[in-house]
Amino acid sequence: TCAFAGQKKVLAAYEEAVKCGYSGARAGRLHTPHGVFDTPMFMPVGTQATVKAVSPRELKEMGAQIILSNTYHLYLRPGTELVAEAGGLHRFMDWDGGILTDSGGFQVFSLGPLRKITEEGAAFRSHIDGSTQFLSPEIAIKAQMNLGADIIMAFDECIPYPAEYQYAKLSTERTTRWAERSQKAHTRSGQALFAIVQGGMYQDLRRVSANDLVSLDFPGYGIGGLSVGEPKPVMYEMLEQTVPLLPENKPRYLMGVGTPDCLVEAVRYGIDMFDCVFPTRVARNGTAMTKSGRLVVKNAAYAKDFLPIDENCGCYACQNFSRAYIRHLLKADEIFGLRLTTIHNLYFLLDFTKKMRQAILEDRFLSFREEFLAQYCK
Ligand SMILES: CO[C@@H]1O[C@H](CNc2nc3cc4c(=O)[nH]c(N)nc4cc3[nH]2)[C@H]2OC(C)(C)O[C@@H]12
Ligand SMILES: [Zn+2]
């Protein structure tokens, strides 16, 4: 049911992805049990069944369509059976938009002190209480069926960066076997299971991974193993190698990205969906995202700056409060300060993807990209 149909520029009976200029950029519509959503899209991250510091009502107001939660975290606490008893994740967190859950493949390797990876799965110690835990494709899929997200991810290994070719090859082949096991374990109808392309930073492994997963016929594809510390040009090169091998009529989701400069480049290669903790995380240490780069509103320079973070921003923070006020709250450790920077950063990225979509529909994406990159300092 997670069909992906591009938005056609002219009215027509069928929908097809609108291609733009000499790029792979496309404007699409993602059909899920909780609604039809526009792409390109940014998905706010709500790791533990809440997008930190903002409410579902505020998320709806700022235009969030699909939000993310993490199987790894919810499996450890409060447990995915408990969430199922509560009526599933949508009911539990009172969110009636789309939900995508990551499978735990990344969190196990980035959070829990790793014990061991075998063909069967990954043994690790919980970062919460140090208990010995184990995740396999079957366990991760069952957990995600309990949570009831609209889109779930296959259990994979996010290859660390850098990694030896041989390690990347063996790990990628195992991830493909795990994707097949994930598919067999996935019995919940109405829920889309996406595979995750791996391959490290090796072009040939990326192509093999993409081709193998495409032949297993998933309704959508995550691109994993990126945004793990590699230089941005390397990430873009992996996209160039991978995205063209993925079906045009299915969504492509670049995991863990990111900042607007990365989003506009990835959209050019044909990516439709993004998630990243960046906007909510940097908000909590007083950094606001703007079209010219980062603005550390906590800095003394803004003590008497009575302008909003961004005069052209339509968010609740910019419409009602000044930099001086937000800086005061952050300095005073007032929770409302973090809420305002978080609201602004999420709104900024959600609005940015809306602007990219509009540019694609009006066939001016490449000039939009040029203008944006010219004024954005990384
Ligand atoms: C720029 O933010 C830092 O970088 C991480 C985001 N980068 C990222 N790459 C990912 C790859 C995968 C993958 O291969 N497989 C699965 N299943 N999920 C994934 C999730 C991923 N997220 C954030 O994660 C932390 C919190 C470590 O820092 C952030
Ligand atoms: Zn704002």
Side-chain angles (χ1 to χ4, degrees):
T1 61
C2 179
F4 176 76
Q7 179 96 25
K8 210 159 154 45
K9 256 191 301 183
V10 295
L11 288 180
Y14 60 93
E15 291 185 324
E16 66 180 10
V18 172
K19 286 191 117 10
C20 168
Y22 299 99
S23 77
R26 76 254 194 90
R29 288 171 65 70
L30 195 54
H31 295 252
T32 78
H34 281 86
V36 181
F37 302 114
D38 291 340
T39 66
M41 76 162 64
F42 177 76
M43 303 181 285
V45 174
T47 297
Q48 302 188 104
T50 165
V51 177
K52 290 179 171 45
V54 292
S55 70
R57 183 185 303 165
E58 289 165 330
L59 283 169
K60 197 64 79 178
E61 259 168 39
M62 61 175 78
Q65 303 182 89
I66 297 181
I67 62 173
L68 232 84
S69 265
N70 271 315
T71 306
Y72 165 86
H73 293 79
L74 297 172
Y75 175 80
L76 294 178
R77 184 179 55 190
T80 54
E81 285 79 12
L82 183 148
V83 177
E85 279 169 52
L89 202 42
H90 286 86
R91 177 79 297 280
F92 196 47
M93 65 187 293
D94 188 32
W95 173 253
D96 66 358
I99 298 180
L100 182 151
T101 45
D102 194 357
S103 55
F106 178 79
Q107 288 73 33
V108 162
F109 306 112
S110 70
L111 282 175
L114 187 65
R115 294 266 306 288
K116 200 156 171 290
I117 309 177
T118 60
E119 184 63 25
E120 186 50 26
F124 61 97
R125 294 169 66 83
S126 159
H127 73 290
I128 295 172
D129 61 12
S131 58
T132 300
Q133 301 286 340
F134 183 76
L135 273 181
S136 66
E138 293 74 16
I139 296 170
I141 294 300
K142 179 153 174 31
Q144 291 181 89
M145 290 196 283
N146 276 336
L147 295 172
D150 301 283
I151 302 171
I152 68 173
M153 303 307 285
F155 188 70
D156 64 326
E157 180 189 357
C158 174
I159 299 169
Y161 173 78
E164 294 292 320
Y165 181 85
Q166 199 47 25
Y167 183 84
K169 182 172 184 297
L170 293 176
S171 168
T172 299
E173 288 163 355
R174 181 171 54 212
T175 282
T176 299
R177 293 193 295 275
W178 282 0
E180 207 161 0
R181 283 171 51 189
S182 299
Q183 222 170 20
K184 289 196 179 72
H186 186 227
T187 54
R188 181 165 172 161
S189 64
Q191 183 179 58
L193 169 67
F194 282 17
I196 302 175
V197 178
Q198 291 293 345
M201 306 304 160
Y202 299 102
Q203 295 186 11
D204 60 327
L205 298 183
R206 282 278 166 185
R207 288 196 294 274
V208 166
S209 178
N211 287 327
D212 287 352
L213 295 174
V214 168
S215 57
L216 290 171
D217 189 22
F218 285 84
Y221 294 89
I223 298 180
L226 295 177
S227 187
V228 288
E230 77 282 6
K232 289 180 182 177
V234 173
M235 178 169 81
Y236 300 147
E237 189 195 332
M238 291 306 114
L239 291 181
E240 203 163 20
Q241 291 300 320
T242 311
V243 178
L245 300 176
L246 301 176
E248 283 221 351
N249 65 337
K250 293 186 178 178
R252 296 92 173 246
Y253 160 34
L254 177 54
M255 306 183 85
V257 175
T259 51
D261 56 318
C262 293
L263 263 63
V264 80
E265 292 300 43
V267 164
R268 184 164 66 107
Y269 287 115
I271 297 293
D272 308 298
M273 300 161 73
F274 299 89
D275 89 274
C276 192
V277 293
F278 187 82
T280 38
R281 173 171 295 181
V282 296
R284 293 198 297 283
N285 57 42
T287 297
M289 299 171 77
T290 75
K291 57 187 182 310
S292 338
R294 295 178 207 179
L295 187 149
V296 184
V297 71
K298 213 173 175 180
N299 281 353
Y302 304 112
K304 291 192 171 179
D305 186 335
F306 303 116
L307 293 175
I309 289 172
D310 176 348
E311 285 180 293
N312 303 316
C313 179
C315 88
Y316 172 62
C318 295
Q319 292 296 309
N320 298 290
F321 305 97
S322 70
R323 293 166 176 185
Y325 176 68
I326 296 172
R327 178 179 180 275
H328 156 63
L329 295 180
L330 294 170
K331 297 295 278 182
D333 266 343
E334 281 294 344
I335 293 168
F336 191 48
L338 304 181
R339 282 180 30 73
L340 290 173
T341 49
T342 300
I343 286 167
H344 168 77
N345 283 355
L346 286 174
Y347 182 97
F348 171 78
L349 270 187
L350 290 165
D351 185 54
F352 185 66
T353 49
K354 244 186 241 163
K355 287 188 166 89
M356 283 196 286
R357 176 181 168 81
Q358 208 44 45
I360 294 168
L361 291 174
E362 294 167 9
D363 217 351
R364 56 179 173 77
F365 174 72
L366 290 178
S367 56
F368 172 87
R369 170 180 168 275
E370 288 297 318
E371 279 155 40
F372 174 76
L373 291 175
Q375 68 171 21
Y376 185 76
C377 53
K378 296 167 189 143

